[in-house]
Amino acid sequence: MSFLDSAAIASRRQRQVQRVLYVTLGLNVLVFLIKLILGLTTGSLSLIADALHSSTDSASNILGLVAVRFSSPEPDDDHPYGHRKFEAIGALGIAAFLGMASLEILRTAVERFWEPQPHLQIDELTLGVMVGVLGINVF
């Protein structure tokens, strides 16, 4: 395989990864908004926490798009082996997003343990929307 063939394959792979990240970003933003609205209207900590998780997924998608953009596989004079390490740095950033979300969820759960909230009010519409969001998450 020649250098041009491998560069074309790498470029095609990069476009495919970007396409997947854009679609996933759109779905994550949609799911985040639905979960946040339902969580705030019902007072459900689990939905608000899941909305926070979806927001970190969205931030991870954006970070992934940036990392893919900067990890162009073509070597240059300063980087004879390319820029692939940007992907590793992006993965580290995604781990940091998830860590921050986990700490926030834990903090809120402990806070609500000591100061309980009123009972949740979930109607049929809310339940239906939650099942629809579950379908998007499984997708």
Side-chain angles (χ1 to χ4, degrees):
M1 179 182 304
S2 74
F3 175 75
L4 291 176
D5 290 338
S6 63
I9 291 170
S11 179
R12 187 172 36 240
R13 175 189 168 272
Q14 188 174 13
R15 283 192 308 274
Q16 290 171 337
V17 168
Q18 286 175 325
R19 187 174 25 249
V20 168
L21 287 171
Y22 278 120
V23 169
T24 306
L25 174 61
L27 290 173
N28 280 332
V29 169
L30 175 66
V31 167
F32 161 73
L33 291 172
I34 292 170
K35 288 177 183 177
L36 183 64
I37 291 167
L38 291 177
L40 292 174
T41 58
T42 63
S44 169
L45 176 59
S46 62
L47 276 174
I48 294 170
D50 212 24
L52 179 60
H53 178 253
S54 293
S55 73
T56 60
D57 286 346
S58 298
S60 296
N61 289 130
I62 293 168
L63 185 57
L65 286 164
V66 170
V68 166
R69 173 72 178 103
F70 284 111
S71 68
S72 173
E74 292 82 24
D76 57 28
D77 291 337
D78 293 333
H79 304 90
Y81 299 105
H83 301 92
R84 306 294 287 177
K85 291 192 180 197
F86 276 104
E87 287 184 7
I89 293 170
L92 189 60
I94 290 168
F97 283 138
L98 291 174
M100 289 185 298
S102 298
L103 289 174
E104 180 61 23
I105 292 166
L106 179 63
R107 185 195 65 77
T108 306
V110 168
E111 182 180 288
R112 285 212 182 169
F113 179 78
W114 293 111
E115 296 176 25
Q117 302 292 312
H119 293 289
L120 300 177
Q121 299 296 323
I122 298 176
D123 57 14
E124 293 83 14
L125 176 63
T126 303
L127 182 61
V129 172
M130 288 168 41
V131 169
V133 167
L134 176 64
I136 293 173
N137 280 334
V138 170
F139 169 71

mmCIF file of all heavy atoms in Angstrom, residues 98-132:
data_model
loop_
_atom_site.group_PDB
_atom_site.id
_atom_site.type_symbol
_atom_site.label_atom_id
_atom_site.label_comp_id
_atom_site.label_asym_id
_atom_site.label_seq_id
_atom_site.Cartn_x
_atom_site.Cartn_y
_atom_site.Cartn_z
ATOM 1 N N LEU A 98 -16.537 13.334 32.556
ATOM 2 C CA LEU A 98 -17.308 12.318 33.263
ATOM 3 C C LEU A 98 -17.033 12.346 34.765
ATOM 4 O O LEU A 98 -17.941 12.154 35.577
ATOM 5 C CB LEU A 98 -17.012 10.929 32.689
ATOM 6 C CG LEU A 98 -17.535 10.698 31.277
ATOM 7 C CD1 LEU A 98 -17.061 9.348 30.747
ATOM 8 C CD2 LEU A 98 -19.047 10.777 31.243
ATOM 9 N N GLY A 99 -15.791 12.616 35.144
ATOM 10 C CA GLY A 99 -15.458 12.720 36.565
ATOM 11 C C GLY A 99 -16.176 13.884 37.224
ATOM 12 O O GLY A 99 -16.720 13.753 38.326
ATOM 13 N N MET A 100 -16.203 15.036 36.550
ATOM 14 C CA MET A 100 -16.901 16.200 37.097
ATOM 15 C C MET A 100 -18.396 15.927 37.224
ATOM 16 O O MET A 100 -19.011 16.296 38.222
ATOM 17 C CB MET A 100 -16.656 17.427 36.223
ATOM 18 C CG MET A 100 -15.244 17.962 36.321
ATOM 19 S SD MET A 100 -14.955 19.506 35.416
ATOM 20 C CE MET A 100 -15.293 19.034 33.725
ATOM 21 N N ALA A 101 -18.995 15.282 36.227
ATOM 22 C CA ALA A 101 -20.418 14.969 36.288
ATOM 23 C C ALA A 101 -20.700 14.015 37.440
ATOM 24 O O ALA A 101 -21.688 14.184 38.172
ATOM 25 C CB ALA A 101 -20.887 14.359 34.968
ATOM 26 N N SER A 102 -19.840 13.022 37.622
ATOM 27 C CA SER A 102 -20.025 12.060 38.713
ATOM 28 C C SER A 102 -19.976 12.753 40.070
ATOM 29 O O SER A 102 -20.799 12.472 40.950
ATOM 30 C CB SER A 102 -18.955 10.969 38.657
ATOM 31 O OG SER A 102 -19.064 10.245 37.460
ATOM 32 N N LEU A 103 -19.027 13.657 40.240
ATOM 33 C CA LEU A 103 -18.924 14.382 41.515
ATOM 34 C C LEU A 103 -20.157 15.248 41.771
ATOM 35 O O LEU A 103 -20.640 15.334 42.895
ATOM 36 C CB LEU A 103 -17.655 15.223 41.542
ATOM 37 C CG LEU A 103 -16.352 14.437 41.657
ATOM 38 C CD1 LEU A 103 -15.152 15.374 41.537
ATOM 39 C CD2 LEU A 103 -16.296 13.664 42.959
ATOM 40 N N GLU A 104 -20.659 15.891 40.731
ATOM 41 C CA GLU A 104 -21.855 16.734 40.888
ATOM 42 C C GLU A 104 -23.082 15.889 41.240
ATOM 43 O O GLU A 104 -23.881 16.264 42.100
ATOM 44 C CB GLU A 104 -22.108 17.545 39.623
ATOM 45 C CG GLU A 104 -23.335 18.439 39.689
ATOM 46 C CD GLU A 104 -23.275 19.485 40.794
ATOM 47 O OE1 GLU A 104 -22.176 19.843 41.257
ATOM 48 O OE2 GLU A 104 -24.363 19.950 41.214
ATOM 49 N N ILE A 105 -23.226 14.749 40.605
ATOM 50 C CA ILE A 105 -24.354 13.855 40.913
ATOM 51 C C ILE A 105 -24.246 13.361 42.351
ATOM 52 O O ILE A 105 -25.237 13.343 43.095
ATOM 53 C CB ILE A 105 -24.405 12.692 39.905
ATOM 54 C CG1 ILE A 105 -24.787 13.217 38.517
ATOM 55 C CG2 ILE A 105 -25.376 11.608 40.365
ATOM 56 C CD1 ILE A 105 -24.547 12.216 37.396
ATOM 57 N N LEU A 106 -23.061 12.966 42.765
ATOM 58 C CA LEU A 106 -22.842 12.497 44.133
ATOM 59 C C LEU A 106 -23.147 13.601 45.132
ATOM 60 O O LEU A 106 -23.821 13.377 46.154
ATOM 61 C CB LEU A 106 -21.405 12.004 44.292
ATOM 62 C CG LEU A 106 -21.020 11.504 45.676
ATOM 63 C CD1 LEU A 106 -21.858 10.279 46.051
ATOM 64 C CD2 LEU A 106 -19.539 11.162 45.724
ATOM 65 N N ARG A 107 -22.677 14.815 44.863
ATOM 66 C CA ARG A 107 -22.936 15.941 45.763
ATOM 67 C C ARG A 107 -24.432 16.202 45.919
ATOM 68 O O ARG A 107 -24.946 16.365 47.027
ATOM 69 C CB ARG A 107 -22.239 17.207 45.234
ATOM 70 C CG ARG A 107 -22.364 18.409 46.171
ATOM 71 C CD ARG A 107 -22.001 19.711 45.478
ATOM 72 N NE ARG A 107 -22.890 20.073 44.399
ATOM 73 C CZ ARG A 107 -24.111 20.605 44.550
ATOM 74 N NH1 ARG A 107 -24.605 20.814 45.746
ATOM 75 N NH2 ARG A 107 -24.850 20.914 43.505
ATOM 76 N N THR A 108 -25.144 16.203 44.811
ATOM 77 C CA THR A 108 -26.582 16.455 44.852
ATOM 78 C C THR A 108 -27.323 15.327 45.559
ATOM 79 O O THR A 108 -28.270 15.567 46.313
ATOM 80 C CB THR A 108 -27.131 16.647 43.424
ATOM 81 O OG1 THR A 108 -26.370 17.677 42.781
ATOM 82 C CG2 THR A 108 -28.597 17.040 43.443
ATOM 83 N N ALA A 109 -26.910 14.080 45.339
ATOM 84 C CA ALA A 109 -27.557 12.945 45.997
ATOM 85 C C ALA A 109 -27.382 13.023 47.512
ATOM 86 O O ALA A 109 -28.343 12.802 48.270
ATOM 87 C CB ALA A 109 -26.999 11.635 45.467
ATOM 88 N N VAL A 110 -26.181 13.351 47.972
ATOM 89 C CA VAL A 110 -25.940 13.474 49.415
ATOM 90 C C VAL A 110 -26.761 14.629 49.979
ATOM 91 O O VAL A 110 -27.375 14.510 51.054
ATOM 92 C CB VAL A 110 -24.428 13.668 49.696
ATOM 93 C CG1 VAL A 110 -24.175 14.085 51.140
ATOM 94 C CG2 VAL A 110 -23.668 12.395 49.362
ATOM 95 N N GLU A 111 -26.811 15.731 49.253
ATOM 96 C CA GLU A 111 -27.593 16.881 49.688
ATOM 97 C C GLU A 111 -29.070 16.514 49.835
ATOM 98 O O GLU A 111 -29.713 16.847 50.826
ATOM 99 C CB GLU A 111 -27.421 18.003 48.666
ATOM 100 C CG GLU A 111 -28.137 19.284 48.991
ATOM 101 C CD GLU A 111 -27.886 20.318 47.900
ATOM 102 O OE1 GLU A 111 -26.755 20.835 47.835
ATOM 103 O OE2 GLU A 111 -28.823 20.583 47.110
ATOM 104 N N ARG A 112 -29.606 15.792 48.870
ATOM 105 C CA ARG A 112 -31.021 15.404 48.933
ATOM 106 C C ARG A 112 -31.273 14.326 49.982
ATOM 107 O O ARG A 112 -32.380 14.186 50.458
ATOM 108 C CB ARG A 112 -31.493 14.919 47.567
ATOM 109 C CG ARG A 112 -31.690 16.074 46.617
ATOM 110 C CD ARG A 112 -32.794 15.798 45.667
ATOM 111 N NE ARG A 112 -32.951 16.889 44.739
ATOM 112 C CZ ARG A 112 -33.708 16.826 43.676
ATOM 113 N NH1 ARG A 112 -34.349 15.717 43.400
ATOM 114 N NH2 ARG A 112 -33.828 17.858 42.881
ATOM 115 N N PHE A 113 -30.249 13.542 50.310
ATOM 116 C CA PHE A 113 -30.413 12.542 51.358
ATOM 117 C C PHE A 113 -30.686 13.235 52.686
ATOM 118 O O PHE A 113 -31.524 12.802 53.475
ATOM 119 C CB PHE A 113 -29.150 11.672 51.462
ATOM 120 C CG PHE A 113 -29.225 10.638 52.537
ATOM 121 C CD1 PHE A 113 -29.955 9.475 52.340
ATOM 122 C CD2 PHE A 113 -28.573 10.832 53.750
ATOM 123 C CE1 PHE A 113 -30.036 8.521 53.331
ATOM 124 C CE2 PHE A 113 -28.651 9.887 54.745
ATOM 125 C CZ PHE A 113 -29.380 8.722 54.549
ATOM 126 N N TRP A 114 -29.968 14.336 52.943
ATOM 127 C CA TRP A 114 -30.116 15.045 54.207
ATOM 128 C C TRP A 114 -31.278 16.030 54.185
ATOM 129 O O TRP A 114 -31.798 16.389 55.248
ATOM 130 C CB TRP A 114 -28.822 15.755 54.572
ATOM 131 C CG TRP A 114 -27.735 14.775 54.871
ATOM 132 C CD1 TRP A 114 -26.625 14.537 54.115
ATOM 133 C CD2 TRP A 114 -27.667 13.863 55.963
ATOM 134 N NE1 TRP A 114 -25.871 13.540 54.672
ATOM 135 C CE2 TRP A 114 -26.487 13.096 55.814
ATOM 136 C CE3 TRP A 114 -28.493 13.597 57.057
ATOM 137 C CZ2 TRP A 114 -26.113 12.115 56.719
ATOM 138 C CZ3 TRP A 114 -28.113 12.606 57.958
ATOM 139 C CH2 TRP A 114 -26.938 11.881 57.786
ATOM 140 N N GLU A 115 -31.679 16.480 53.018
ATOM 141 C CA GLU A 115 -32.814 17.393 52.885
ATOM 142 C C GLU A 115 -33.760 16.836 51.826
ATOM 143 O O GLU A 115 -33.742 17.254 50.669
ATOM 144 C CB GLU A 115 -32.331 18.785 52.475
ATOM 145 C CG GLU A 115 -31.449 19.441 53.504
ATOM 146 C CD GLU A 115 -30.916 20.785 53.019
ATOM 147 O OE1 GLU A 115 -31.563 21.402 52.157
ATOM 148 O OE2 GLU A 115 -29.858 21.185 53.514
ATOM 149 N N PRO A 116 -34.605 15.868 52.213
ATOM 150 C CA PRO A 116 -35.483 15.214 51.233
ATOM 151 C C PRO A 116 -36.396 16.205 50.517
ATOM 152 O O PRO A 116 -36.783 17.228 51.063
ATOM 153 C CB PRO A 116 -36.292 14.241 52.082
ATOM 154 C CG PRO A 116 -35.503 14.065 53.345
ATOM 155 C CD PRO A 116 -34.773 15.349 53.549
ATOM 156 N N GLN A 117 -36.731 15.848 49.292
ATOM 157 C CA GLN A 117 -37.625 16.643 48.453
ATOM 158 C C GLN A 117 -39.036 16.045 48.521
ATOM 159 O O GLN A 117 -39.208 14.889 48.890
ATOM 160 C CB GLN A 117 -37.124 16.624 47.003
ATOM 161 C CG GLN A 117 -35.710 17.136 46.836
ATOM 162 C CD GLN A 117 -35.591 18.615 47.113
ATOM 163 O OE1 GLN A 117 -36.375 19.399 46.614
ATOM 164 N NE2 GLN A 117 -34.624 18.996 47.938
ATOM 165 N N PRO A 118 -40.052 16.830 48.129
ATOM 166 C CA PRO A 118 -41.401 16.263 48.086
ATOM 167 C C PRO A 118 -41.473 15.118 47.080
ATOM 168 O O PRO A 118 -40.621 14.965 46.216
ATOM 169 C CB PRO A 118 -42.281 17.436 47.644
ATOM 170 C CG PRO A 118 -41.370 18.547 47.286
ATOM 171 C CD PRO A 118 -39.994 18.214 47.720
ATOM 172 N N HIS A 119 -42.506 14.311 47.206
ATOM 173 C CA HIS A 119 -42.681 13.162 46.310
ATOM 174 C C HIS A 119 -42.775 13.601 44.848
ATOM 175 O O HIS A 119 -43.280 14.675 44.538
ATOM 176 C CB HIS A 119 -43.944 12.376 46.684
ATOM 177 C CG HIS A 119 -43.814 11.707 48.006
ATOM 178 N ND1 HIS A 119 -42.992 10.631 48.212
ATOM 179 C CD2 HIS A 119 -44.382 11.973 49.205
ATOM 180 C CE1 HIS A 119 -43.062 10.252 49.473
ATOM 181 N NE2 HIS A 119 -43.910 11.054 50.098
ATOM 182 N N LEU A 120 -42.294 12.741 43.973
ATOM 183 C CA LEU A 120 -42.317 13.023 42.543
ATOM 184 C C LEU A 120 -43.731 12.955 42.000
ATOM 185 O O LEU A 120 -44.547 12.144 42.442
ATOM 186 C CB LEU A 120 -41.452 12.007 41.791
ATOM 187 C CG LEU A 120 -39.985 11.962 42.162
ATOM 188 C CD1 LEU A 120 -39.295 10.862 41.376
ATOM 189 C CD2 LEU A 120 -39.326 13.290 41.894
ATOM 190 N N GLN A 121 -43.999 13.787 41.002
ATOM 191 C CA GLN A 121 -45.274 13.766 40.307
ATOM 192 C C GLN A 121 -44.999 13.439 38.847
ATOM 193 O O GLN A 121 -44.545 14.289 38.096
ATOM 194 C CB GLN A 121 -45.982 15.130 40.426
ATOM 195 C CG GLN A 121 -46.299 15.552 41.843
ATOM 196 C CD GLN A 121 -47.295 14.609 42.492
ATOM 197 O OE1 GLN A 121 -48.226 14.116 41.862
ATOM 198 N NE2 GLN A 121 -47.095 14.345 43.767
ATOM 199 N N ILE A 122 -45.244 12.195 38.455
ATOM 200 C CA ILE A 122 -44.995 11.763 37.082
ATOM 201 C C ILE A 122 -46.316 11.331 36.468
ATOM 202 O O ILE A 122 -46.987 10.445 36.983
ATOM 203 C CB ILE A 122 -43.965 10.610 37.038
ATOM 204 C CG1 ILE A 122 -42.638 11.099 37.614
ATOM 205 C CG2 ILE A 122 -43.789 10.101 35.614
ATOM 206 C CD1 ILE A 122 -41.569 10.050 37.709
ATOM 207 N N ASP A 123 -46.684 11.982 35.361
ATOM 208 C CA ASP A 123 -47.925 11.618 34.672
ATOM 209 C C ASP A 123 -47.610 10.733 33.469
ATOM 210 O O ASP A 123 -46.459 10.398 33.203
ATOM 211 C CB ASP A 123 -48.696 12.871 34.259
ATOM 212 C CG ASP A 123 -47.893 13.805 33.367
ATOM 213 O OD1 ASP A 123 -46.851 13.373 32.842
ATOM 214 O OD2 ASP A 123 -48.314 14.951 33.178
ATOM 215 N N GLU A 124 -48.661 10.357 32.743
ATOM 216 C CA GLU A 124 -48.490 9.447 31.606
ATOM 217 C C GLU A 124 -47.633 10.064 30.497
ATOM 218 O O GLU A 124 -46.826 9.386 29.867
ATOM 219 C CB GLU A 124 -49.854 9.033 31.022
ATOM 220 C CG GLU A 124 -50.688 8.177 31.944
ATOM 221 C CD GLU A 124 -51.473 8.986 32.974
ATOM 222 O OE1 GLU A 124 -51.600 10.229 32.842
ATOM 223 O OE2 GLU A 124 -51.956 8.364 33.945
ATOM 224 N N LEU A 125 -47.808 11.357 30.250
ATOM 225 C CA LEU A 125 -47.021 12.026 29.214
ATOM 226 C C LEU A 125 -45.531 11.997 29.566
ATOM 227 O O LEU A 125 -44.693 11.670 28.725
ATOM 228 C CB LEU A 125 -47.491 13.470 29.026
ATOM 229 C CG LEU A 125 -46.678 14.315 28.043
ATOM 230 C CD1 LEU A 125 -46.755 13.728 26.637
ATOM 231 C CD2 LEU A 125 -47.143 15.754 28.054
ATOM 232 N N THR A 126 -45.207 12.326 30.812
ATOM 233 C CA THR A 126 -43.818 12.312 31.262
ATOM 234 C C THR A 126 -43.225 10.916 31.118
ATOM 235 O O THR A 126 -42.104 10.745 30.628
ATOM 236 C CB THR A 126 -43.719 12.783 32.727
ATOM 237 O OG1 THR A 126 -44.284 14.084 32.831
ATOM 238 C CG2 THR A 126 -42.277 12.824 33.196
ATOM 239 N N LEU A 127 -43.983 9.919 31.528
ATOM 240 C CA LEU A 127 -43.512 8.539 31.421
ATOM 241 C C LEU A 127 -43.290 8.163 29.952
ATOM 242 O O LEU A 127 -42.280 7.538 29.609
ATOM 243 C CB LEU A 127 -44.501 7.578 32.069
ATOM 244 C CG LEU A 127 -44.111 6.113 32.065
ATOM 245 C CD1 LEU A 127 -42.818 5.901 32.839
ATOM 246 C CD2 LEU A 127 -45.228 5.262 32.636
ATOM 247 N N GLY A 128 -44.199 8.563 29.077
ATOM 248 C CA GLY A 128 -44.056 8.271 27.655
ATOM 249 C C GLY A 128 -42.820 8.920 27.053
ATOM 250 O O GLY A 128 -42.087 8.300 26.280
ATOM 251 N N VAL A 129 -42.572 10.173 27.426
ATOM 252 C CA VAL A 129 -41.391 10.871 26.923
ATOM 253 C C VAL A 129 -40.128 10.192 27.444
ATOM 254 O O VAL A 129 -39.148 10.028 26.708
ATOM 255 C CB VAL A 129 -41.431 12.373 27.303
ATOM 256 C CG1 VAL A 129 -40.122 13.062 26.967
ATOM 257 C CG2 VAL A 129 -42.587 13.066 26.599
ATOM 258 N N MET A 130 -40.128 9.764 28.708
ATOM 259 C CA MET A 130 -38.971 9.081 29.278
ATOM 260 C C MET A 130 -38.690 7.770 28.544
ATOM 261 O O MET A 130 -37.531 7.432 28.282
ATOM 262 C CB MET A 130 -39.182 8.828 30.776
ATOM 263 C CG MET A 130 -39.101 10.102 31.574
ATOM 264 S SD MET A 130 -39.650 10.018 33.304
ATOM 265 C CE MET A 130 -39.038 8.508 33.909
ATOM 266 N N VAL A 131 -39.737 7.055 28.174
ATOM 267 C CA VAL A 131 -39.549 5.813 27.413
ATOM 268 C C VAL A 131 -38.993 6.139 26.022
ATOM 269 O O VAL A 131 -38.109 5.437 25.519
ATOM 270 C CB VAL A 131 -40.879 5.023 27.321
ATOM 271 C CG1 VAL A 131 -40.787 3.892 26.331
ATOM 272 C CG2 VAL A 131 -41.269 4.494 28.691
ATOM 273 N N GLY A 132 -39.456 7.220 25.406
ATOM 274 C CA GLY A 132 -38.918 7.643 24.117
ATOM 275 C C GLY A 132 -37.444 8.001 24.200
ATOM 276 O O GLY A 132 -36.647 7.643 23.328
#
